[in-house]
Amino acid sequence: MSEDQAAGRPQRWDKPFGLQSMTDADVDRVLALPSFASVEPDEFPKDLPLREIIANDGRIQRFSRGDIIVQRGDYGSSVFVILKGSVRGLASEEAERAIAPADTVARKSWFGALAQLWQNSKIPEFRSAVKYELGAAGGKKSFRQSVNRAIVVSPSYMGLNRRGRMTGGASPGSKEYWGGNLRSNPDEPDETFVTRLEDIDDIIADYNTFPIAAPEMFGELAAMARSPRGATIFAEADEVEVVELRWQALREIRRWSEGFSKRIDALYRERGLITHLRSSPIFKHLDDATLEIIAGQTLFETHGDFEWSMSFQRARDREGHVDSIIEQEPVIAEEGHYLDGLILIRSGFARVSIAVDHGQKTVGFLANDDAFGLEEIVASQRGESDHKLRRSLRAIGYVDLLRVPINLVEQYLLDDLPSGLLDDSVLVQQSEILDQALPTGDETEAAEQPLLDFLIDNRVINGTATMLINTDKCVNCDDCVRACAATHDGNPRFVRHGIAYRNFMVANACMHCVDPVCLIGCPTGAIHRSTTVGNVVIDDTTCVGCATCATSCPYNNIRMVETRDSSGALIADDQFMPIAKATKCDLCAGQQGGPACERACPHDALTRMDIRDSKALGEWLHR
Amino acid sequence: MATSLTVASRRRWRNLAITAVAVAAFGWISILYADALRQHEFLDGWALAAGMIVLAGFNMRKKLPMLALGKASTWTQIHIYLGYFTVCMFLLHTDFEIPIGALNWALWAVFLIVALSGLVGLFLSTSIPPKLERGTERILLERIPGFRAQLAREVEELAMRSVVDEASLTISHFYTDTLHHFMRRQRNRLDHLRGSPRQLSRIRQDIDNLKRYLDPKGVEILQEIEDRVVAKDNLDFHYAHYMALRLWLFVHIPATYSLIILACAHVATVYAFSTGAP
């Protein structure tokens, strides 16, 4: 046996969620919670014991009064159960706006924009230490300013190791923090970033909030559906203790414990399902009583791989293309089989296809709130056919869906179904991509099909501001690249190259995805959605250069760069490792007039587009 | 089936119509101006100067992408059709005659160079991009030298391998006589711009002729070399067209600056030697 083999293959729990595994006493505390009362250790397989799951996929966190535990919009992938104390959630949009940190980039004035001509650095990826000291200025007090983000400001970047994690090592005294709110536990060398609200009495008095006390659970919806957190939750008292379980633990415990699964489902029914159903155009005409009946019998399902970006990248890198990616997409409902419920997509994307000879022909895709199977149910009720599916549904990446039993749909939905709903169905909209994107008449259907396949196979449908280049018009003048550099301190934030279908190129620029998998795992929240317009942006001051986002991005649209100081030398940490930062397109946040790349193209060859807007896409391609 | 006009076609016809109307209106005003016994050269001269200032402003727009000065594509449309308009103004201004005097002649010649280079640029900008779809994908200009060097290295290694593995000098001689020259740098630029594949065809014929002297392994090596020759030719094709897309600007922009200087000198001269109301 070689030494490598003797060293052992990396295992799932080599690195626990916390800095170290939870102790037996901690696990006992967790298992004593009512949330886990119905969980029987015997239900779990021997190689996946319950106690190990909790010990390794969980960690106990302690918060002080005002500490924000989860912030609305964050892509958290964990669930919390309160062990001690109580927390509060913000129940209104107004309250969320009041406490939201200001966008990190303010819009430039006309002169400020022009000044970039002479202020842009000649040094690539230059970073000024002064920049990291901004923000500590005083001023009129408000809730917004009472948010102390724990941001590293040390000009020498001391305290950051090359993986970008805060360490308690070498020189703790040398660290400075904007707002001075780095939470530190003397018993543990780990230190994590925490945002704290200072005037929470005023917040509670002025805004609508809701309490959650021990031993309740929260955060399960976002963890299950990988949707953004729906509300900001902060510690109401000092010494709040919570156990945080990452989604892998949630998945395992739900899988092996029926009682726990039912409890989670009940929580979702109680907290989110009715709201979700009401937001769907199919259900919104129903009254609350009917919705409650439907919610009571609706099933939750997840399909696909939660970390689809990794498997997608592996498949693409292995094959060199994604032509056969459909074979890896789990089938949710298969053509020819009997439909057992109306399927409603909660999050993610699903491919709709029909069988042609020995393959599948893509006819559309479904996203949030889209339904599948309604046409079949209606046709069946009209006596035109039975409940046999005419199309198949596959999970593109990861899909979270609801399945509403057919009898409920027939009983409550069909009679009062808004007229025209079927005609306006998403599938019809998707087919418009083909109708409008490519010339009709002269083109055969077979020639049109690859466009839809291209969009779906390459997961381009995820983009809300995808950079598209019409190569029949692009003269490679690079005005777009120069404009990008001129508005980003001399550093272009995209590559004018990418995957292409015919004359339709998807350049390597951040697409500002519907499902931004890059946000998951960011240790500091540096990559986040802008609070005003929802673009995915990176706060350069809080980025620790860990490259988690760049690795997660399935489109290779985030680049790690090594930063330089005013002399052009690489900025390094105390171990002489270069300080890296994640960079990407920010849609020219703070600039005048929107994305400079699009405005700079002299031949109208470049646009930024929401790929799901089939009408705009068709018009642009067919100009 | 009747073919409907695309957005670009509709825009082209609309802009042409607007330009034609503007030229006709200006021509008519010039005639009225002349009928009033006034010198129309001052009217159309200043219109020409104004047009040229706006045309030159496009370059400034490109240099200021950080300002909200409108989309560059809109500026391009204005540049093209205002360009047509100024050409017409120029013809009106010169009374469709070749001017007299060194300064005016120089101005006339430089204007012609700017206008013609602009038209050539417009033709190249619309005709070349669709041609670049040849091959599997668009190749970035700045990556071409790297790819070319890689291919040259691979072909050299294959030629060397044929000597070592096959104890055959056929391929290595062909490499030193023909391929080395072809692979070393950009070749056949004009042929690519003309769309002629003759040089590649000749090399491929030469490669084909060598097969009779080779054993199956040697043929395999030769096939690998041929694949790289085709790839190199594709790089040359892209490079030639990319250069064409850029080179016209090296005529158009310096000539524009010369034109502005000469136009200023022309205006100063005209006013220095003019008398009375225009």
Side-chain angles (χ1 to χ4, degrees):
Chain A
M1 182 181 284
S2 71
E3 275 187 29
D4 286 347
Q5 285 170 312
R9 190 174 289 276
Q11 299 296 316
R12 173 175 173 180
W13 289 323
D14 283 350
K15 190 176 183 307
F17 191 30
L19 265 193
Q20 46 198 300
S21 306
M22 285 166 60
T23 62
D24 281 345
D26 287 338
V27 174
D28 288 339
R29 278 184 77 194
V30 173
L31 289 176
L33 291 166
S35 299
F36 297 90
S38 59
V39 182
E40 293 294 336
D42 297 341
E43 293 174 328
F44 289 74
K46 283 182 182 165
D47 58 346
L48 200 65
L50 172 64
R51 293 186 68 87
E52 287 296 306
I53 293 173
I54 291 174
N56 291 286
D57 283 337
R59 64 181 176 187
I60 291 182
Q61 299 261 62
R62 296 173 182 86
F63 294 93
S64 299
R65 181 176 161 80
D67 283 350
I68 290 182
I69 303 169
V70 299
Q71 186 139 9
R72 192 178 72 152
D74 287 351
Y75 274 74
S77 50
S78 55
V79 62
F80 299 83
V81 190
I82 305 170
L83 289 166
K84 181 180 165 190
S86 63
V87 301
R88 264 186 185 269
L90 299 179
S92 71
E93 191 75 23
E94 195 186 1
E96 293 285 2
R97 273 200 301 271
I99 65 107
D103 268 353
T104 50
V105 184
R107 184 168 288 275
K108 285 183 167 58
S109 65
W110 196 88
F111 183 75
L114 183 65
Q116 292 173 104
L117 264 184
W118 57 88
Q119 285 180 345
N120 278 352
S121 173
K122 299 281 184 292
I123 298 164
E125 302 302 344
F126 165 72
R127 297 294 188 280
S128 165
V130 176
K131 183 179 173 185
Y132 293 83
E133 293 174 335
L134 297 176
K140 189 181 170 186
K141 193 179 176 192
S142 69
F143 294 128
R144 187 184 298 276
Q145 287 166 327
S146 75
V147 179
N148 287 334
R149 290 181 90 71
I151 294 173
V152 183
V153 295
S154 170
S156 62
Y157 300 87
M158 292 182 74
L160 287 171
N161 66 20
R162 66 194 169 101
R163 284 182 59 88
R165 286 272 184 189
M166 293 300 302
T167 63
S171 49
S174 67
K175 294 176 202 161
E176 298 172 66
Y177 303 102
W178 177 33
N181 192 23
L182 186 79
R183 189 159 59 78
S184 176
N185 183 343
D187 300 329
E188 293 178 8
D190 184 25
E191 292 174 302
T192 51
F193 297 99
V194 171
T195 304
R196 179 176 294 168
L197 296 168
E198 286 180 347
D199 301 320
I200 67 166
D201 289 335
D202 292 346
I203 293 170
I204 293 168
D206 293 350
Y207 297 104
N208 205 2
T209 60
F210 57 90
I212 310 175
E216 282 199 68
M217 179 185 286
F218 63 91
E220 74 287 349
L221 298 186
M224 281 166 57
R226 197 169 54 192
S227 52
R229 302 283 189 197
T232 297
I233 307 283
F234 57 90
E236 190 179 11
D238 276 326
E239 296 183 22
V240 170
E241 268 189 340
V242 298
V243 59
E244 182 182 4
L245 296 172
R246 55 183 168 195
W247 69 267
Q248 288 90 343
L250 189 65
R251 178 191 62 189
E252 303 292 3
I253 301 173
R254 275 190 76 200
R255 181 179 174 193
W256 297 106
S257 168
E258 196 182 341
F260 185 80
S261 180
K262 281 180 180 170
R263 189 176 177 86
I264 293 284
D265 289 356
L267 268 180
Y268 176 60
R269 279 198 176 87
E270 182 188 325
R271 293 177 178 174
L273 180 54
I274 291 182
T275 311
H276 188 87
L277 289 176
R278 193 177 286 118
S279 69
S280 165
I282 296 172
F283 294 91
K284 68 180 177 187
H285 65 287
L286 300 178
D287 56 42
D288 286 352
T290 311
L291 281 176
E292 271 186 36
I293 295 169
I294 292 173
Q297 295 185 47
T298 297
L299 303 173
F300 311 113
E301 293 174 24
T302 56
H303 297 264
D305 182 3
F306 194 79
E307 294 183 342
W308 65 267
S309 64
M310 295 299 165
S311 53
F312 172 71
Q313 288 179 70
R314 275 196 300 273
R316 183 186 56 198
D317 295 344
R318 191 174 55 242
E319 304 274 331
H321 57 79
V322 289
D323 296 353
S324 55
I325 200 90
I326 191 171
E327 292 163 13
Q328 296 181 17
E329 294 171 355
V331 178
I332 300 168
E334 192 158 6
E335 182 181 350
H337 289 203
Y338 281 97
L339 182 69
D340 57 357
L342 176 69
I343 293 171
L344 202 64
I345 308 290
R346 278 183 64 206
S347 62
F349 294 98
R351 183 198 298 258
V352 183
S353 62
I354 55 173
V356 175
D357 290 339
H358 303 291
Q360 288 289 321
K361 177 177 167 182
T362 306
V363 294
F365 63 90
L366 304 180
N368 285 9
D369 289 337
D370 292 339
F372 179 81
L374 188 60
E375 290 91 337
E376 282 83 353
I377 296 172
V378 171
S380 168
Q381 202 194 38
R382 288 174 183 163
E384 295 167 5
S385 70
D386 52 16
H387 284 142
K388 261 189 185 171
L389 282 166
R390 299 181 214 163
R391 297 153 303 176
S392 295
L393 190 69
R394 286 177 158 75
I396 302 174
Y398 175 83
V399 180
D400 196 19
L401 55 87
L402 304 173
R403 201 183 286 262
V404 183
I406 286 180
N407 63 313
L408 293 181
V409 177
E410 290 175 340
Q411 187 177 349
Y412 296 110
L413 273 176
L414 296 188
D415 291 343
D416 300 319
L417 199 63
S419 60
L421 191 63
L422 279 173
D423 295 337
D424 294 336
S425 72
V426 175
L427 278 177
V428 174
Q429 289 176 34
Q430 299 311 325
S431 68
E432 285 175 3
I433 291 179
L434 299 179
D435 294 343
Q436 297 185 31
L438 294 160
T440 53
D442 299 335
E443 302 277 342
T444 63
E445 192 184 0
E448 295 168 5
Q449 187 57 38
L451 175 63
L452 198 55
D453 284 327
F454 170 82
L455 294 173
I456 295 176
D457 288 350
N458 288 287
R459 312 295 190 242
V460 181
I461 48 173
N462 204 1
T464 64
T466 309
M467 181 185 286
L468 302 179
I469 296 178
N470 183 343
T471 53
D472 275 354
K473 291 184 175 180
C474 175
V475 298
N476 298 274
C477 63
D478 273 341
D479 280 356
C480 51
V481 180
R482 273 191 290 275
C484 183
T487 49
H488 293 89
D489 202 23
N491 306 293
R493 295 301 185 212
F494 74 96
V495 178
R496 187 179 51 74
H497 196 249
I499 52 173
Y501 167 71
R502 293 190 182 177
N503 61 325
F504 169 94
M505 180 199 283
V506 180
N508 280 127
C510 176
M511 308 197 305
H512 300 270
C513 296
V514 177
D515 178 17
V517 287
C518 54
L519 268 62
I520 300 166
C522 176
T524 64
I527 187 164
H528 62 284
R529 279 198 187 276
S530 155
T531 51
T532 48
V533 286
N535 298 337
V536 178
V537 291
I538 298 174
D539 182 354
D540 199 60
T541 53
T542 50
C543 173
V544 292
C546 64
T548 304
C549 54
T551 311
S552 301
C553 175
Y555 313 102
N556 299 324
N557 289 343
I558 300 178
R559 301 195 183 277
M560 301 307 297
V561 298
E562 292 175 343
T563 54
R564 293 172 187 272
D565 63 17
S566 55
S567 69
L570 290 173
I571 300 173
D573 62 11
D574 52 356
Q575 295 166 24
F576 304 105
M577 297 302 295
I579 298 290
K581 295 280 178 184
T583 63
K584 67 173 198 68
C585 160
D586 59 359
L587 279 184
C588 288
Q591 298 289 341
Q592 293 198 342
C597 52
E598 186 179 28
R599 288 186 295 115
C601 180
H603 299 284
D604 228 357
L606 186 153
T607 190
R608 306 302 296 258
M609 188 172 289
D610 186 339
I611 295 294
R612 292 165 305 155
D613 186 349
S614 53
K615 189 166 184 286
L617 176 62
E619 284 174 0
W620 184 77
L621 283 170
H622 203 33
R623 291 164 75 93
Chain B
M1 193 179 93
T3 309
S4 60
L5 288 176
T6 62
V7 173
S9 298
R10 279 199 300 272
R11 185 177 65 184
R12 189 179 306 122
W13 285 111
R14 183 198 63 199
N15 292 349
L16 274 174
I18 292 170
T19 308
V21 168
V23 169
F26 226 93
W28 184 59
I29 291 168
S30 283
I31 291 168
L32 293 180
Y33 211 74
D35 287 349
L37 300 179
R38 304 181 80 172
Q39 288 180 282
H40 71 86
E41 287 85 357
F42 281 90
L43 179 68
D44 43 42
W46 278 113
L48 186 55
M52 281 161 51
I53 289 167
V54 177
L55 289 172
F58 183 33
N59 202 31
M60 291 307 298
R61 159 66 185 83
K62 286 187 168 192
K63 302 240 182 285
L64 300 171
M66 67 288 290
L67 298 181
L69 296 174
K71 294 180 75 171
S73 55
T74 308
W75 277 82
T76 305
Q77 292 301 308
I78 292 169
H79 193 79
I80 292 168
Y81 293 97
L82 191 59
Y84 293 151
F85 178 81
T86 51
V87 167
C88 296
M89 286 301 100
F90 179 76
L91 293 174
L92 274 178
H93 188 63
T94 56
D95 283 331
F96 299 88
E97 291 173 358
I98 294 176
I100 301 165
L103 177 63
N104 287 350
W105 201 91
L107 187 58
W108 187 90
V110 172
F111 187 93
L112 205 65
I113 291 170
V114 172
L116 287 177
S117 61
L119 286 170
V120 168
L122 181 61
F123 170 74
L124 294 176
S125 299
T126 50
S127 62
I128 288 182
K131 290 183 188 173
L132 295 174
E133 266 193 49
R134 181 179 125 159
T136 51
E137 60 172 337
R138 276 282 184 110
I139 302 163
L140 289 177
L141 175 65
E142 54 269 30
R143 291 186 185 175
I144 288 178
F147 288 145
R148 194 161 54 212
Q150 184 188 337
L151 290 172
R153 200 166 46 245
E154 287 174 3
V155 169
E156 186 175 357
E157 284 168 5
L158 285 165
M160 295 293 286
R161 207 174 88 197
S162 74
V163 177
V164 176
D165 293 356
E166 302 297 307
S168 159
L169 294 177
T170 304
I171 293 177
S172 63
H173 281 160
F174 178 64
Y175 173 73
T176 50
D177 293 345
T178 308
L179 289 184
H180 178 67
H181 173 78
F182 174 74
M183 298 299 292
R184 198 157 54 93
R185 47 175 291 207
Q186 155 79 25
R187 301 288 174 199
N188 312 323
R189 193 171 300 174
L190 286 177
D191 275 343
H192 284 303
L193 290 177
R194 279 200 298 263
S196 165
R198 63 177 179 163
Q199 298 296 344
L200 177 66
S201 299
R202 286 175 187 174
I203 293 178
R204 295 183 81 170
Q205 279 172 13
D206 290 345
I207 289 174
D208 215 35
N209 288 338
L210 295 180
K211 289 180 180 168
R212 72 184 67 184
Y213 309 116
L214 301 172
D215 63 5
K217 280 192 174 178
V219 171
E220 271 179 32
I221 291 174
L222 201 58
Q223 183 60 51
E224 285 188 53
I225 288 175
E226 186 175 357
D227 292 344
R228 283 157 182 79
V229 165
V230 172
K232 156 66 168 58
D233 184 72
N234 192 39
L235 291 180
D236 288 350
F237 173 87
H238 276 81
Y239 195 81
H241 284 89
Y242 283 142
M243 285 296 106
L245 278 171
R246 296 194 174 190
L247 282 176
W248 71 271
L249 283 168
F250 286 95
V251 176
H252 191 66
I253 293 177
T256 301
Y257 287 123
S258 306
L259 181 63
I260 290 168
I261 293 167
L262 289 169
C264 289
H266 172 73
V267 171
T269 310
V270 166
Y271 275 92
F273 292 96
S274 69
T275 53

